[in-house]
Amino acid sequence: MKKVLLIGFEAHAPRYTYSAQSVVDTLHGLQQGKIRIYSRLIKETFFDSVDAVCMAMTEFKPDVVLMMGEYIGANIITLERIAHNFNDMKAHSMIDTSDLNEDNAFTAKSGPVAYMSSLPLNTMVKMMRSNGVPADISNSNGTLYGNHVFYGVLHYLSIHQLSTPVGWLNLPMLPEKATLPEYLGQPSMSLHTCIEGVKLAIQAAM
């Protein structure tokens, strides 16, 4: 039995419904043929979030790790190609909850500028598209929490000489979140389509 570890950010406000959290909650424990999915929610915090994923990898010993976030403004599922070694909250006018400053603007001070996803992105995108789920590859995951976790986990694997395939996927927001006044008019994707897309991506990644 192959094991997939599915990681998603949890909502940081009760009135929000994160697409990543909803998919993680739905797919936890699911068995698809010879694949079993295990999932773990993490908080949107710097550094602690990386540790949480690494601990989950130690616990579950997965064959593949797929991490997920929500990208406001996206109308398709995107698979991220590159994780950058830089964190920047100010550029996005966001409040940082982990006292991020110039001393820890880098996820790993001694790490390379970037890492590449180790998942078969083209195969995953083709699988989703051929089954009616809009998807594409993105070359920039920004400088916020998602990119930070993506880079941090890849750096952990590198320094420990581990070869577990790891990647990051961003989902559009769910329709119920897009009805809130502050998000009205933003694109969304149904939970059903998000779930199907992630299941197809996992199938292709194995």
Side-chain angles (χ1 to χ4, degrees):
M1 181 71 65
K2 296 287 187 179
K3 293 185 289 185
V4 174
L5 176 59
L6 196 60
I7 300 290
F9 282 130
E10 64 180 16
H12 59 264
R15 67 194 298 252
Y16 295 153
T17 301
Y18 269 22
S19 49
Q21 178 175 356
S22 297
V23 172
V24 162
D25 288 342
T26 302
L27 294 183
H28 178 64
L30 178 70
Q31 183 174 332
Q32 295 188 96
K34 295 183 179 179
I35 302 170
R36 181 171 292 277
I37 300 173
Y38 298 90
S39 62
R40 181 63 53 85
L41 288 170
I42 59 173
K43 296 182 181 298
E44 284 190 335
T45 55
F46 285 102
F47 301 102
D48 289 345
S49 54
V50 176
D51 292 340
V53 177
C54 294
M55 289 176 62
M57 291 172 62
T58 300
E59 176 183 348
F60 293 108
K61 297 178 175 57
D63 297 285
V64 169
V65 178
L66 181 59
M67 300 177 287
M68 300 185 302
E70 179 182 278
Y71 192 89
I72 296 173
N75 58 3
I76 63 174
I77 295 174
T78 55
L79 290 165
E80 300 300 329
R81 193 194 307 274
I82 302 170
H84 306 278
N85 189 16
F86 188 68
N87 308 309
D88 183 12
M89 299 293 289
K90 294 179 182 178
H92 299 270
S93 301
M94 294 180 67
I95 298 173
D96 175 32
T97 59
S98 64
D99 298 322
L100 188 67
N101 54 50
E102 292 182 359
D103 292 332
N104 56 17
F106 299 100
T107 301
K109 290 182 179 180
S110 60
V113 172
Y115 286 106
M116 303 284 284
S117 172
S118 49
L119 295 181
L121 303 185
N122 287 311
T123 302
M124 295 165 76
V125 165
K126 183 178 180 180
M127 175 69 82
M128 285 188 278
R129 287 182 180 177
S130 63
N131 286 276
V133 178
D136 205 353
I137 296 172
S138 165
N139 291 311
S140 177
N141 199 20
T143 58
L144 301 176
Y145 300 112
N147 176 74
H148 170 77
V149 176
F150 189 17
Y151 182 96
V153 172
L154 288 171
H155 186 63
Y156 171 85
L157 292 172
S158 177
I159 62 178
H160 289 88
Q161 298 183 327
L162 300 173
S163 58
T164 307
V166 170
W168 188 277
L169 178 152
N170 278 317
L171 297 166
M173 71 171 71
L174 298 177
E176 50 264 45
K177 184 173 179 179
T179 63
L180 298 174
E182 59 265 45
Y183 297 116
L184 198 62
Q186 293 282 2
S188 64
M189 180 177 284
S190 72
L191 178 58
H192 173 77
T193 303
C194 288
I195 290 171
E196 289 304 306
V198 172
K199 288 166 64 176
L200 290 165
I202 289 172
Q203 181 182 338
M206 306 301 286

